[in-house]
Coordinates of all heavy atoms in Angstrom, one line a residue:
N166 N -12.6 -0.4 3.0 CA -13.2 0.1 1.7 C -12.8 -0.9 0.6 O -13.7 -1.2 -0.3 CB -12.6 1.5 1.4 CG -12.9 2.0 0.0 OD1 -12.2 1.7 -0.9 ND2 -14.0 2.8 -0.1
L167 N -11.6 -1.3 0.5 CA -11.1 -2.1 -0.6 C -11.7 -3.5 -0.5 O -11.8 -4.2 -1.5 CB -9.6 -2.2 -0.6 CG -8.9 -0.9 -1.0 CD1 -7.4 -1.0 -0.7 CD2 -9.1 -0.6 -2.4
L170 N -16.6 -4.4 -2.1 CA -16.8 -3.8 -3.4 C -18.2 -3.4 -3.7 O -18.5 -3.0 -4.7 CB -16.2 -4.7 -4.4 CG -14.7 -4.8 -4.3 CD1 -14.1 -5.8 -5.3 CD2 -14.0 -3.5 -4.5
H172 N -19.6 -1.0 -2.5 CA -19.8 0.5 -2.6 C -19.6 1.0 -4.0 O -19.9 2.2 -4.3 CB -18.8 1.1 -1.6 CG -17.4 1.1 -2.1 ND1 -16.5 0.2 -1.8 CD2 -16.7 2.0 -2.9 CE1 -15.3 0.5 -2.3 NE2 -15.4 1.6 -3.0
L173 N -19.1 0.1 -4.9 CA -18.9 0.6 -6.3 C -20.2 1.2 -6.9 O -20.1 2.2 -7.6 CB -18.4 -0.6 -7.2 CG -16.9 -0.7 -7.3 CD1 -16.3 -1.0 -6.0 CD2 -16.6 -1.9 -8.3
V176 N -20.6 4.8 -4.9 CA -19.5 5.8 -4.8 C -18.9 6.0 -6.2 O -18.5 7.1 -6.6 CB -18.4 5.3 -3.9 CG1 -17.3 6.4 -3.8 CG2 -19.0 5.1 -2.5
H177 N -18.9 5.0 -7.1 CA -18.1 5.0 -8.3 C -19.0 4.9 -9.6 O -18.6 4.3 -10.6 CB -17.1 3.9 -8.3 CG -16.1 4.0 -7.2 ND1 -15.5 5.1 -6.8 CD2 -15.8 3.0 -6.3 CE1 -14.8 4.9 -5.7 NE2 -14.9 3.6 -5.4
I181 N -16.1 2.9 -12.4 CA -16.1 1.5 -12.5 C -17.3 0.9 -11.8 O -17.4 -0.3 -11.5 CB -14.9 0.9 -11.8 CG1 -14.7 1.4 -10.3 CG2 -13.6 1.2 -12.5 CD1 -13.7 0.6 -9.5
T306 N -11.6 7.3 -9.6 CA -12.2 6.3 -8.7 C -11.6 6.5 -7.3 O -12.4 6.6 -6.3 CB -12.0 4.9 -9.2 OG1 -12.4 4.8 -10.5 CG2 -12.8 3.9 -8.4
F307 N -10.3 6.5 -7.2 CA -9.7 6.6 -5.9 C -9.8 7.9 -5.2 O -9.8 8.1 -4.0 CB -8.2 6.1 -6.0 CG -8.1 4.7 -6.4 CD1 -6.8 4.1 -6.7 CD2 -9.2 3.8 -6.4 CE1 -6.7 2.8 -7.1 CE2 -9.0 2.5 -6.7 CZ -7.8 2.0 -7.1
D310 N -13.0 7.6 -3.4 CA -12.9 6.8 -2.2 C -12.3 7.7 -1.1 O -12.7 7.6 0.1 CB -11.9 5.6 -2.4 CG -12.6 4.5 -3.1 OD1 -13.8 4.2 -2.8 OD2 -12.0 4.0 -4.1
Ligands
FE2_2 FE1 -13.8 2.5 -4.0

Side-chain angles (χ1 to χ4, degrees):
N166 170 276
L167 291 167
L170 293 177
H172 75 268
L173 266 61
V176 181
H177 304 309
I181 56 168
T306 308
F307 293 170
D310 284 313

